[in-house]
Amino acid sequence: MRTTVGIIGGGPAGLLLARLLHRTGVDCVVLESRTREYAEQRQRAGMLEQGTVDALRECDAADRLDAEGLIHHGIELRFDRERHHIDFPALTGGRTVTIYAQTEIVKDLIAFQLADGPPLLFEAEAIAIEKPDSDAPVVRFVHEGREQTLSCDYVVGCDGSHGIARDAFPDGASHTYAHEYPYSWLGILADVPPSCEELIYARGDRGFALHSMRSPSVSRLYLQVPNGTAAADWPDERIWDELAARFAIDGDWRLERGPVTSKSVTSMRSYVHEPMRYGRLFLAGDAAHIVPPTGAKGLNLAVSDVRVLARGFAALHRTGSAQLLDRYSELCLDRVWQATRFSYDMTRMLHAQPDGDVFDHRVQLARLRRITASRHAAAELAANYTGLPLSL
């Protein structure tokens, strides 16, 4: 097989990049190691920055998003049994966020790709990237029981933190920066309407809790738990009791309970791979960076990566200039580190620290008080949460 851009990974990053390239006349092939059914059922985050929504609209892939997505105009911070609303549009000049599950984005993009887009091969496992520093890199992959090759002008690794793309960087060509957090999230999906209109971030002595949603009838909730926690050790009733305790306020509010349909434990870590390019090989999304979910940046960073890449490939196709592609890593890493910093700050501010003391507790409260009392501090949070501008 031969193409201009070989894309490894059929998640939202790879699929969106393929859609954007297709609309600008750049041919590509997407290799996805899993089945279509698996790809369409992977549960991931669902909070979309304004720029992510704009990107999906730009490639005419937002009809269902616009019809079913839940627009949120802010978040609620809870601490000391008080509730505080952060008004995004008032603080950012009108920017909002949208709740629309990543699972649904993948379904939408797969449908478009199979209907009129470039080739998308499921159960096509990439096993090697050869000659990434040449002008003719090759991806070796296994599909339908036999090994095949995909010859490309460029390769984009959208294959996540356990994929092969970043391992194709030779020794000494990159650096990695990582931080492990001393706690995890126990997350549940429940068939119950959300008990809130907007996301609730709760900080308390018992630990952090987050109330989110997937739809008007499905709630998504999280609890801070120690690393090594097994989801099976938390019966449903215990989860609901702990959530109610952490969300409790002095006022008229009640957490609605319902059937728990799934539960899982997610570790918390930050990871950045520099640079995000080697020769003709580019990294995008989780292949290059991971952030804790507190700031809701993972999916949105992946989208901003592929927006930069798509514009770079479009410029090369249209004018022959590789100037934007040559700046890809520089442009993306500036945004990545800002999102990493924001996610770290949010995580440290809202989570009970296992080795913390009264001093740490008071500093966390002081930071929360500053945000809820100062328009300037609240605007800084709102600007980062809704998404910093894409600078090209």
Side-chain angles (χ1 to χ4, degrees), residues 220-236:
R220 182 71 158 153
L221 302 103
Y222 301 92
L223 286 169
Q224 176 188 348
V225 294
N227 285 342
T229 295
D233 293 339
W234 282 75
D236 295 357

Side-chain angles (χ1 to χ4, degrees), residues 240-258:
W240 287 117
D241 288 347
E242 189 63 24
L243 285 166
R246 296 190 191 186
F247 287 126
I249 58 171
D250 293 328
D252 183 20
W253 186 87
R254 185 182 69 175
L255 177 66
E256 299 295 334
R257 305 184 181 208

Side-chain angles (χ1 to χ4, degrees), residues 261-317:
T261 58
S262 72
K263 65 179 75 170
S264 60
V265 175
T266 302
S267 61
M268 307 279 282
R269 63 190 180 113
S270 296
Y271 177 95
V272 180
H273 181 285
E274 292 188 358
M276 292 171 59
R277 176 185 183 176
Y278 173 71
R280 295 287 185 97
L281 169 62
F282 299 84
L283 302 180
D286 286 358
H289 42 73
I290 295 172
V291 291
T294 325
K297 294 294 141 203
L299 169 62
N300 296 294
L301 276 180
V303 169
S304 63
D305 290 347
V306 300
R307 292 179 77 191
V308 176
L309 267 180
R311 294 184 188 184
F313 284 125
L316 179 66
H317 176 71

Side-chain angles (χ1 to χ4, degrees), residues 48-69:
L48 310 184
E49 294 177 355
Q50 183 74 60
T52 297
V53 173
D54 293 343
L56 291 165
R57 288 173 177 161
E58 177 186 334
C59 62
D60 292 332
D63 287 352
R64 205 156 65 91
L65 163 64
D66 287 334
E68 301 175 15

Side-chain angles (χ1 to χ4, degrees), residues 346-367:
M346 288 281 286
T347 303
R348 290 284 301 181
M349 178 175 68
L350 291 164
H351 288 72
Q353 304 304 313
D355 58 350
D357 55 20
V358 176
F359 178 83
D360 295 304
H361 170 78
R362 297 298 299 224
V363 168
Q364 286 178 313
L365 289 179
R367 294 172 69 189

Side-chain angles (χ1 to χ4, degrees), residues 75-144:
I75 58 173
E76 184 178 305
L77 297 177
R78 290 192 179 184
F79 56 94
D80 274 358
R81 300 184 66 88
E82 301 173 357
R83 59 197 302 182
H84 302 268
H85 177 66
I86 307 298
D87 187 333
F88 289 163
L91 295 164
T92 62
R95 295 173 71 83
T96 61
V97 296
T98 302
I99 300 297
Y100 187 68
Q102 177 173 316
T103 315
E104 304 309 312
I105 294 174
V106 169
K107 289 177 183 176
D108 294 342
L109 291 173
I110 286 176
F112 278 118
Q113 185 97 346
L114 296 179
D116 65 358
L120 165 58
L121 304 183
F122 291 103
E123 299 181 84
E125 182 181 3
I127 58 174
I129 301 171
E130 299 177 346
K131 303 182 292 182
D133 57 342
S134 74
D135 59 1
V138 173
V139 180
R140 289 196 292 114
F141 66 100
V142 176
H143 185 239
E144 296 180 341

